[in-house]
Amino acid sequence: MRYIIIGAGAIGGTIGGRLYENGFEVVLVARGAHAAALRTGGLRFATPEGVRALPIPTVTSPGEIGLRPDDVLVLAVKTQHTEGVLAEWAPRPVATDEGDPAGGRTAAELLPVVCAQNGVENERIALRRFRHVYGMYVWMPTSHLEPGRVSASGAPLSGVLRLGRYPCGSDDNARRIAADLEKSVFAAPVSEDVMRWKYGKLLGNVGNALEAVAGPVTGEERTALYRRARQEYEAVLEAAGIPYATVEEQTADRGDRVELQPVAGEGRVGGSSAQSLIRGSGSIETDYLNGEVVLLGRLHGVPTPVNEALQRLADEFARTGRPPGSLSAEELAALG
């Protein structure tokens, strides 16, 4: 299998870097300054073992690579970019022999796409175009703040990547991908109900926006807000009849396999949403995290005022370029 990592940021760069280091064929897909840095100096991959430059082939668009039947598309962009990215990749022809397209058959018809992303909307978006869609529950402490560099601080394993077919079930593709990941410093269990795990992961992700706008979720006031955001989410899941993996279940599943360890030149920078603000990317994934809670609440008649407020604030921070963590004490108090 060849792994095409679409979105070589914190998650995609770590998955691609670990696979490449362990002998698997990998292509990174990136854009702008990040792509230029990857092409010039390779992926600067920082882990508790040290920092190294990995010369992983990098492209900027699907037109720069010929697709093969053994390719796996690993989608690791933020959800707000999923539709546009998949629209580019879905119609690309897949060659059966060198230079011989597979009778006009496309990536959307033939290739598996793995959604290694937060939230629960990506798989639905992908299934509109792709026949073979897989969800991936990702628990992996990583960061990407500067072009060409990705940091992964988990040890002894880099992360837990639970994989399953969408909307449910498993197959040989899932088992082969999981086996490759297991050889590459990950735990990669195959799950018949991967979306239950992804809905469970969102229990923690509802705090991403709070951390992004107000700083670390510590102290009585911020902790209470986070608790209320989670309680709103649990209420909408109950109203919608959606099963989810509890925090306790996720913690027990992870065990001591992934623990935070020091990485040279790296400090605590926050989760993926805070990193988006730090990089000044201009967008943030909150509409598909807290926004998922808001959507379910509106569909099922459950009030979600804390998640609505966090969604609005995070979008404002991303849109206006306001510095992460700069929410004033007065603004924080107003959320309560």
Side-chain angles (χ1 to χ4, degrees), residues 9-303:
I11 298 300
T14 298
I15 294 173
R18 285 302 197 189
L19 285 167
Y20 181 85
E21 285 187 312
N22 286 276
F24 296 99
E25 191 175 1
V26 175
V27 177
L28 301 179
V29 183
R31 292 182 175 172
H34 188 42
L38 292 171
R39 285 174 157 174
T40 301
L43 175 67
R44 288 179 292 151
F45 188 40
T47 70
E49 305 105 82
V51 182
R52 55 274 195 201
L54 306 179
I56 306 176
T58 300
V59 301
T60 62
S61 71
E64 295 179 18
I65 184 173
L67 296 179
R68 309 183 327 215
D70 66 334
D71 283 335
V72 176
L73 305 181
V74 179
L75 192 62
V77 298
K78 298 293 194 297
T79 308
Q80 65 267 29
H81 304 305
T82 292
E83 172 60 35
V85 165
L86 291 181
E88 293 180 339
W89 286 88
R92 299 302 301 177
V94 178
T96 51
D97 299 310
E98 187 174 353
D100 178 26
R105 300 183 74 184
T106 64
E109 296 173 279
L110 296 177
L111 299 186
V113 57
V114 178
C115 298
Q117 300 159 286
N118 284 331
V120 294
E121 185 63 19
N122 298 286
E123 290 80 4
R124 291 186 75 249
I125 297 172
L127 200 61
R128 292 180 187 276
R129 297 180 183 273
F130 284 80
R131 289 181 181 173
H132 309 291
V133 177
Y134 299 80
M136 179 178 278
Y137 161 96
V138 177
W139 201 97
M140 185 161 60
T142 59
S143 64
H144 164 55
L145 299 177
E146 59 182 271
R149 182 178 174 106
V150 166
S151 172
S153 57
L157 300 181
S158 288
V160 176
L161 306 177
R162 182 177 288 271
L163 181 69
R165 194 169 176 97
Y166 180 79
C168 61
S170 62
D171 60 14
D172 288 342
N173 266 337
R175 286 183 282 274
R176 285 195 294 266
I177 295 167
D180 289 351
L181 292 169
E182 290 274 0
K183 296 172 184 174
S184 304
V185 204
F186 299 109
V190 174
S191 178
E192 298 284 332
D193 58 350
V194 69
M195 295 311 293
R196 185 177 74 87
W197 289 85
K198 294 198 75 167
Y199 274 101
K201 172 77 184 305
L202 199 49
L203 281 167
N205 290 147
V206 297
N208 286 18
L210 179 59
E211 178 190 51
V213 301
V217 183
T218 57
E220 184 176 344
E221 193 169 20
R222 293 176 193 176
T223 301
L225 275 173
Y226 174 45
R227 189 181 304 114
R228 287 176 57 198
R230 278 180 47 175
Q231 288 170 344
E232 290 178 0
Y233 181 42
E234 290 170 331
V236 300
L237 290 177
E238 182 177 354
I242 297 173
Y244 63 96
T246 65
V247 172
E248 294 75 19
E249 187 177 1
Q250 294 177 67
T251 301
D253 178 69
R254 190 164 63 246
D256 58 1
R257 296 181 293 178
V258 185
E259 297 184 346
L260 294 177
Q261 298 292 332
V263 175
E266 299 284 345
R268 167 65 181 168
V269 296
S272 57
S273 297
Q275 292 176 41
S276 291
L277 295 183
I278 292 169
R279 291 196 307 272
S281 64
S283 68
I284 196 167
E285 61 187 337
T286 311
D287 286 343
Y288 299 95
L289 302 180
N290 303 85
E292 181 70 26
V293 183
V294 173
L295 173 62
L296 288 172
R298 290 171 179 168
L299 286 172
H300 298 281
V302 178

